[in-house]
Amino acid sequence: MRATFSSPSRWLFLAALGAALGQERVALAQSASAETAPAPADASGAAPAAATTTTTTTYTAPYGVPAPGTDINAGLPSSSRPITGGQSDGFDLNQPSGGGGTVYGGKGSEGVLLSGRSVSVPEIHTVKRGDTLWDLCDRYFGNPYAWPKVWSYNPQLQNPHWIYPGDEVRMRQAGARSTLSSLHERGLTRGGSGSGGGVGAGTVFLRNEGYIDDPEKDRWGELVGSREDQMLLSEGNRVYLRMRPDVKVAPGQSLTIFLPGQKPKDVPGARQPPGEIVAVKGTVRIDQYDPDSHLARGIITESLDVIERGALVGPVGRRFDVVPPKVNEKTVWARVLTGIYPHVFVAREQIVFIDRGSEDGLVPGNRLFIVHRGDAWKRGLKTATRATRQRMLLDSPDDSPVELTPVDEDQKAYPEEVVGELRVVRTRKYSSLCMVTASQVEISPGDRAVAKQGY
């Protein structure tokens, strides 16, 4: 049977219950005090015999707080532990006790500890299941970020993500010393300075992303379909290619996926190189080919951008460019034409084309300064609308008067200001592909660039 209470009755019941519990706690406290208090002396004044009492105290640490006596730094190497009470730090570098070693490294680099021996790096490594360039560089050089340099040694690798068991990967240049100390000098290990014939400071690594030429001569076929139900394709998608009847392909062959873009912009004062801008989209590897229907099936092994049906495929030569700075043999003035993609502005780490090439004396590695002259605001207004040039006359008593910003002033007497730098990555006869290595402002078609002799 369950009793029910009205609201006043419920509160009276809870109050009585609380009072009873409080009295019980007081009684328990008094009982405990009586047990621990000393017994009174008898009539003769002699104290009674002391009773033996054992008290056990149990401490429970709050959640998240280590128990008393726990060494919270036990899992750290000595070099990472706080030093208190006259302790000393042996800076053990995670080495077992009693083990000695030699630290190799250049100024400002991270330490590479060798336990009394040299680490041998093979000239050729045979790929095993699970190997990646990242892991191999970490294993041999202690620096997984060295994979672009190793990739540059292996032009047969179309994609650094796709290496297979049995492939032979060159880990160092032929004839190079194989000890880790020498590789540190060559700039492969973490923090290397790049001296001794290795990768120099300022070296640019770039996979070919585009060129100016006739795309029809490189057209072998067209990407017409995919096994996957999606519009935008990328690395890993299975695709179908319709090849030209006069072209034969074989399983295992890799072709470049590309799209012909716009012609270089007609920039005032710039030379118009022949051909179109071709944007490279990725790489496809042929798996099957039917010579009767001229239909091939393949897998996209590399994608630089989204790939859609209608993209062209062909034997476009692609390589991994490693371009260190090179002194300019002559002074060459050029104009920025455009980028691979129709961006309005271009900035650092993007690719642009210029209207000067090998016929003008440019070679890969040359550096060009981007120079501006004149008032940057007025220069932008020349291509803007008339309303953009209008400004308010705030001190006039008339209603909302406006005037035009003057832009017709001759600015040839203004000094030239360096606002960026280009690195020539690849040259053709009348044009060059460049990477923007530095920029203070946006770069747009028509900007002037100069390769100064001796720089």
Side-chain angles (χ1 to χ4, degrees), residues 48-318:
T52 302
T53 304
T54 302
T55 302
T56 302
T57 302
T58 302
Y59 172 79
T60 303
Y63 177 76
V65 178
T70 302
D71 183 5
I72 61 175
N73 299 309
L76 298 176
S78 66
S79 56
S80 300
R81 298 176 191 171
I83 301 176
T84 58
Q87 298 175 354
S88 61
D89 184 4
F91 200 71
D92 53 17
L93 290 177
N94 284 325
Q95 288 295 295
S97 59
T102 305
V103 177
Y104 290 89
K107 181 179 179 181
S109 65
E110 297 185 17
V112 180
L113 188 67
L114 305 181
S115 300
R117 63 181 181 86
S118 297
V119 177
S120 177
V121 180
E123 185 173 329
I124 301 294
H125 172 86
T126 302
V127 176
K128 301 179 178 59
R129 184 177 181 84
D131 282 349
T132 64
L133 290 186
W134 177 278
D135 294 332
L136 293 179
C137 291
D138 189 29
R139 181 193 313 170
Y140 289 122
F141 310 133
N143 179 17
Y145 295 97
W147 68 264
K149 182 62 177 176
V150 174
W151 188 22
S152 69
Y153 294 155
N154 297 270
Q156 79 280 5
L157 298 179
Q158 296 293 325
N159 190 326
H161 304 294
W162 293 82
I163 58 177
Y164 303 93
D167 289 350
E168 292 186 344
V169 177
R170 179 176 293 278
M171 299 303 299
R172 57 186 175 87
Q173 292 179 333
R177 293 162 55 198
S178 62
T179 61
L180 186 56
S181 58
S182 68
L183 292 170
H184 207 297
E185 295 171 358
R186 296 176 57 79
L188 288 176
T189 54
R190 190 186 304 275
S193 60
S195 61
V199 181
T203 298
V204 169
F205 296 85
L206 179 67
R207 184 71 161 163
N208 184 21
E209 297 182 12
Y211 58 97
I212 297 179
D213 210 337
D214 180 13
E216 287 301 318
K217 68 181 182 62
D218 295 321
R219 177 175 180 170
W220 276 19
E222 180 181 343
L223 193 155
V224 295
S226 173
R227 187 180 68 180
E228 286 78 21
D229 181 16
Q230 59 189 83
M231 175 183 178
L232 305 179
L233 307 174
S234 62
E235 183 175 333
N237 285 127
R238 299 280 179 174
V239 294
Y240 306 112
L241 312 171
R242 180 74 65 184
M243 308 303 296
R244 284 183 0 209
D246 59 334
V247 171
K248 293 183 179 180
V249 294
Q253 185 175 359
S254 292
L255 300 176
T256 297
I257 306 172
F258 63 94
L259 276 179
Q262 75 279 7
K263 289 184 177 296
K265 292 184 178 181
D266 188 8
V267 176
R271 181 173 62 192
Q272 190 74 8
E276 297 181 30
I277 295 177
V278 178
V280 175
K281 296 294 184 177
T283 306
V284 58
R285 188 186 69 236
I286 305 298
D287 290 340
Q288 293 181 357
Y289 175 65
D290 184 356
D292 296 328
S293 62
H294 307 291
L295 189 70
R297 186 179 73 173
I299 182 173
I300 299 177
T301 59
E302 179 189 26
S303 57
L304 304 180
D305 198 355
V306 293
I307 300 171
E308 298 188 62
R309 293 157 182 83
L312 305 181
V313 296
V316 177
R318 298 191 62 209

Side-chain angles (χ1 to χ4, degrees), residues 317-367:
R318 298 191 62 209
R319 66 176 185 264
F320 191 79
D321 293 306
V322 181
V323 187
K326 188 176 181 64
V327 176
N328 301 321
E329 296 294 336
K330 58 186 297 188
T331 298
V332 179
W333 283 90
R335 292 274 184 177
V336 175
L337 297 174
T338 185
I340 292 179
Y341 302 101
H343 299 309
V344 177
F345 300 118
V346 177
R348 184 174 178 177
E349 309 299 341
Q350 291 183 290
I351 301 300
V352 296
F353 294 101
I354 59 176
D355 65 341
R356 293 295 184 266
S358 58
E359 285 290 307
D360 305 289
L362 292 180
V363 297
N366 286 161
R367 292 166 290 177

Side-chain angles (χ1 to χ4, degrees), residues 4-16:
T4 59
F5 301 92
S6 62
S7 296
S9 300
R10 181 183 301 128
W11 289 114
L12 290 174
F13 172 76
L14 293 176

